[in-house]
Amino acid sequence: MRALHADAIVTGDAEVLRDAAVVVDAGGRIVDVGPADTVLPRHAGVAVERVRGAILPGLVNAHTHLELSGLRGRVPGGAGFLAWVEQLIGQRMESAPEENTEAIDRAVAELEAFGTVAVGEVTNSLAAVRSLARSGFVGSVFHEVFGVERESLERRLAAQAAMVDERVGPWPADAFTYSRTVHTLYTTRADVARRLIREARDQGVPASVHLAEHVAERRFLEHGDGPIADWYERRLGVPRELIEAPGKSPIAFADELGALAPHVLLVHLTDARPEELALVAQRGAPVVFCPRSNLHIETRLPPLLSARAVGLNPALGTDSLASNASLDVLAEARALADRFPTVPARDLVAMATWYGACALGRRDVGRVARGARPGLIAIEGDVGDDACAFVLRNVRSLPRRWLSRRRDT
């Protein structure tokens, strides 16, 4: 065992501990944590490392698309979601498979360097799963399907099991949950979306859906026209008369399909309204915000203050490197701190740790608590009066050092 004595321990799920110590075993499990003058005497003889700074649990990046990592810096934003998607499709078609593999490995290494321990990986190809598992990450894999035409969509669903066997092999069940999921409610048939949401619930695993991300989504779902209907016709060749819209808002439609549920991560919600967020909170659905990605694509931020007002505790994700400069989930918290200065720094750090762990159903990570195995990182320096503000203030300037990792033996 080892004892780590720090100026401050950011617990993630509780108050910051000042002049505190945490004891971990060889596997990274937390044996004891609390004030140093209480913890250290209980473990006399254990080697003690003094950390001049703050200790945090490993970070939780609750929404990633690592298979798009080869597109870093290649997809311009600012013109809206559909313009960004068009650029992404074109760039992705020009990418060589070997370049993508190398980019994914670099992205996984970047996640690790930032102090990340868990991810919610959204994927069509499963291309990053082996690399994530090999590097000791945990979390959830959300295997997406698209399609509004029934026969082709059912073929894609039927092929997913073979894809898992071919591209992953034996599933790393101790590390990652697996669920089949939809990308959005306007790119997948409603009956299939309802089926997959129920399937994940029955299997006891999380699901994920991009929801209320932009105004074009709302226009299409409520009225059946606008940029998305035009895109269906132009890009996919779907006749306008075959394009079905529910005549409901994104949140109301999600509720009808069973997606406002404790096992479904609702990602983005950039266009969600206060009364809709209240319904999300009432249903107990976890929420994931990706602020820097939203700023890149739509020059818009998620409604953090409205979410907090109705009792939501959003997790954070970086989305993909096609819409973000890095995979640093603490940089997401810093982006929110810069624009919402009234939100306590402790809550913003919790969004990058414990709230993400809760969204993914992983109570073993995201917090410094007895029995947890979160991985521990140090940010060294003068923490001052507010350790969480110190962490956010130094996101770009101070390195993070691993103190304990889950895969330690």
Side-chain angles (χ1 to χ4, degrees):
M1 292 195 297
R2 300 167 57 219
L4 304 163
H5 178 189
D7 297 332
I9 295 179
V10 178
T11 60
D13 68 335
E15 295 292 334
V16 172
L17 302 174
R18 303 295 302 221
D19 189 23
V22 55
V23 179
V24 294
D25 67 17
R29 192 176 307 279
I30 295 175
V31 176
D32 202 356
V33 61
D37 59 4
T38 301
V39 170
L40 294 179
R42 288 201 291 255
H43 302 276
V46 171
V48 179
E49 178 181 346
R50 186 67 171 91
V51 177
R52 301 292 180 178
I55 290 176
L56 289 78
L59 306 176
V60 180
N61 192 336
H63 185 76
T64 60
H65 291 265
L66 295 178
E67 64 193 40
L68 301 180
S69 296
L71 302 181
R72 185 200 294 262
R74 293 168 56 184
V75 188
F81 180 78
L82 288 175
W84 176 82
V85 166
E86 285 290 309
Q87 293 276 354
L88 181 144
I89 292 172
Q91 291 289 344
R92 199 172 188 186
M93 291 177 66
E94 296 178 6
S95 300
E98 61 274 12
E99 293 176 357
N100 195 45
T101 299
E102 293 171 1
I104 289 170
D105 288 341
R106 287 195 299 271
V108 171
E110 180 177 317
L111 282 168
E112 188 171 19
F114 282 131
T116 313
V117 70
V119 298
E121 169 66 353
V122 181
T123 178
N124 306 126
S125 67
L126 303 173
V129 176
R130 282 180 176 172
S131 185
L132 285 167
R134 188 168 56 243
S135 297
F137 286 86
V138 298
S140 297
V141 171
F142 305 109
H143 195 178
E144 287 188 329
V145 289
F146 298 79
V148 295
E149 195 278 319
R150 178 177 295 281
E151 289 187 9
S152 61
L153 178 56
E154 293 292 352
R155 284 196 298 270
R156 293 189 191 103
L157 286 167
Q160 283 185 312
M163 187 185 294
V164 170
D165 291 340
E166 176 187 346
R167 300 184 182 180
V168 181
W171 188 259
D174 291 341
F176 287 97
T177 61
Y178 170 88
S179 61
R180 306 192 301 174
T181 194
V182 300
H183 184 78
T184 70
L185 300 182
Y186 61 86
T187 53
T188 310
R189 290 181 60 89
D191 57 336
V192 172
R194 182 183 287 107
R195 187 205 321 171
L196 295 182
I197 291 164
R198 186 184 305 118
E199 176 181 280
R201 182 201 64 197
D202 293 346
Q203 293 173 354
V205 296
S208 172
V209 62
H210 300 71
L211 186 65
E213 188 173 358
H214 47 85
V215 294
E217 175 184 348
R218 182 180 297 274
R219 180 69 200 184
F220 175 73
L221 291 176
E222 289 182 348
H223 302 284
D225 58 10
I228 288 178
D230 295 340
W231 186 81
Y232 264 122
E233 285 189 296
R234 175 174 46 83
R235 165 64 73 170
L236 303 180
V238 179
R240 183 63 64 101
E241 60 270 18
L242 296 182
I243 299 173
E244 297 181 2
K248 300 177 184 292
S249 72
I251 302 299
F253 189 40
D255 194 34
E256 179 181 292
L257 297 179
L260 302 191
H263 74 290
V264 184
L265 281 66
L266 309 181
V267 183
H268 294 304
L269 295 183
T270 322
D271 189 49
R273 298 170 180 173
E275 66 276 11
E276 295 173 332
L277 292 168
L279 180 61
V280 169
Q282 180 183 335
R283 297 287 191 261
V287 169
V288 184
F289 287 163
C290 304
R292 292 190 298 156
S293 177
N294 298 148
L295 285 171
H296 177 80
I297 296 173
E298 290 265 333
T299 65
R300 201 172 169 190
L301 282 168
L304 177 59
L305 298 183
S306 295
R308 286 172 55 84
V310 298
L312 289 170
N313 292 320
L316 291 175
T318 55
D319 215 343
S320 79
L321 288 173
S323 62
N324 210 333
S326 77
L327 298 172
D328 184 4
V329 73
L330 272 183
E332 305 297 328
R334 168 64 187 266
L336 293 176
D338 290 343
R339 293 159 177 85
F340 300 101
T342 61
V343 178
R346 175 192 154 192
D347 293 352
L348 293 169
V349 173
M351 292 168 68
T353 53
W354 178 236
Y355 297 165
C358 292
L360 297 175
R362 298 289 311 219
R363 299 183 68 85
D364 57 328
V365 298
R367 59 176 176 165
V368 184
R370 289 188 186 189
R373 197 163 164 244
L376 299 173
I377 57 175
I379 301 178
E380 291 162 308
D382 182 3
V383 300
D385 294 331
D386 187 334
C388 291
F390 159 79
V391 167
L392 296 179
R393 190 167 58 246
N394 292 289
V395 160
R396 303 182 186 96
S397 58
L398 293 180
R400 295 157 214 177
R401 178 168 64 90
W402 281 103
L403 299 170
S404 172
R405 305 199 192 192
R406 288 180 55 94
R407 66 176 182 267
D408 286 349
T409 56

